[in-house]
Amino acid sequence: MSDLLRFASCGETWIWLMRHVTHNGGPALDDRGPIIEAPAVLFEVTGLAWDDPVLKCYGDAGKIPLYSSKFSERSIVPPFKYSYGGRLRQFLGVDQLGWVADVLRAKPYTKSGWISLTAPGEPPDAVPCLTSLAFRLRAGRLVMTAAFRSQNVFTSYLNYVPLRGIQSEVADDLMVGCGSMRIFVDVPHIYTADEATVGEILQLSERDGPGEGEAVPGPDHRICPIP
C-alpha cells in the first residue's frame, strides 16, 4: 500500500497517534467516562523497544511491568478484565502461538497464520481491545499485524512494545528475524481526563526533540529523533 503510514520508532508512532486524535477527534462516550474519538488508522512500525528516547522522556516507566504482565501472564492481572497471555497461549485449550508457528513452518508462504483473541458470546465488558494477530513470513522475516477494536492512544505504547515481544517469540520459534509490525486501530481515542496531559506531552515533544541518533521525517513531515 503506497499510502500506508510507516514509522521508524514506537515513540514517533505514539506522538503521531496522540496528535491524530487531538486534531481529528470529536466527543464520544465510554464506560470509563467521556472521550475524544478519532477516525480509524492503519500504520507500520519498525523499531519497538523500551529504550526509545521518546518513551523514556514522556512515557510512564512505572506502568511497564503491569502492561507487560498482561501479555506474559496466563492469569488475569488486575485491574485488567482479560489476559492476552492466556488468550495467546491457552485460549479454549489451544496454544495459539505454538499453532501459528506450526502453520508457518509447514507452509512458509501461507496467509492463514491468523489467530483470534475473542470468543463468541463472551461478556461484553471482557472483550479485549486487541482482537486478532496475523503472522506472515516475507523475505525471510516474520511480519505481524495487530488489530485493535478500540485503543486509548495515551497508553498505546505500553501495548506495542510487549507486542514486539510476542512477534519475537514466534520468530525465535521459527528461527527467523522480526520484520515490521502493522497495526490497525478501529476506534483510537483519548479520555477527556487525560487531555491536558496529552497536550503537554505534544508541546514538550515538539520543543525538546528528545533522544539521540539520526532524525527522519515522519508521515506528517515532523522531524522525530529515533534511537
Side-chain angles (χ1 to χ4, degrees):
M1 295 175 62
S2 59
D3 58 347
L4 181 65
L5 297 177
R6 291 181 171 86
F7 297 93
S9 70
C10 187
E12 181 185 359
T13 308
W14 183 43
I15 295 296
W16 182 86
L17 274 170
M18 289 190 291
R19 183 180 292 114
H20 167 68
V21 175
T22 299
H23 289 181
N24 303 309
L29 294 176
D30 183 90
D31 288 342
R32 289 169 51 191
I35 61 174
I36 302 167
E37 183 178 297
V41 291
L42 175 67
F43 52 88
E44 283 187 354
V45 190
T46 303
L48 296 113
W50 291 126
D51 61 358
D52 183 306
V54 176
L55 303 186
K56 289 176 72 174
C57 282
Y58 309 120
D60 187 344
K63 290 183 178 178
I64 291 176
L66 175 64
Y67 276 77
S68 296
S69 69
K70 183 168 61 170
F71 287 86
S72 61
E73 299 296 326
R74 300 192 180 199
S75 57
I76 297 174
V77 178
F80 304 120
K81 296 180 179 180
Y82 46 82
S83 163
Y84 289 142
R87 291 182 182 234
L88 288 169
R89 298 176 178 87
Q90 59 180 28
F91 196 33
L92 303 178
V94 177
D95 176 358
Q96 298 206 85
L97 297 183
W99 175 86
V100 81
D102 288 343
V103 168
L104 290 167
R105 218 177 340 259
K107 296 181 178 180
Y109 55 84
T110 188
K111 298 179 289 295
S112 298
W114 185 281
I115 61 178
S116 174
L117 282 80
T118 65
E122 64 182 325
D125 64 349
V127 175
C129 293
L130 175 64
T131 58
S132 59
L133 293 175
F135 299 85
R136 299 170 302 285
L137 285 170
R138 296 293 182 268
R141 302 179 76 82
L142 183 73
V143 297
M144 186 179 79
T145 297
F148 289 85
R149 62 169 179 81
S150 176
Q151 186 168 70
N152 175 10
V153 303
F154 180 46
T155 57
S156 59
Y157 67 96
L158 291 164
N159 292 282
Y160 294 166
V161 178
L163 271 174
R164 172 49 60 87
I166 298 300
Q167 184 182 9
S168 297
E169 185 175 335
V170 177
D172 288 347
D173 194 354
L174 295 168
M175 294 186 290
V176 298
C178 282
S180 63
M181 187 167 76
R182 185 177 299 173
I183 298 169
F184 170 71
V185 182
D186 194 26
V187 185
H189 62 272
I190 292 171
Y191 287 94
T192 302
D194 296 322
E195 187 176 6
T197 304
V198 168
E200 183 180 2
I201 291 173
L202 293 178
Q203 255 190 338
L204 290 172
S205 67
E206 291 179 355
R207 185 198 69 184
D208 296 342
E212 299 177 353
E214 181 184 2
V216 299
D220 57 0
H221 306 297
R222 178 182 58 82
I223 299 300
C224 180
I226 62 175

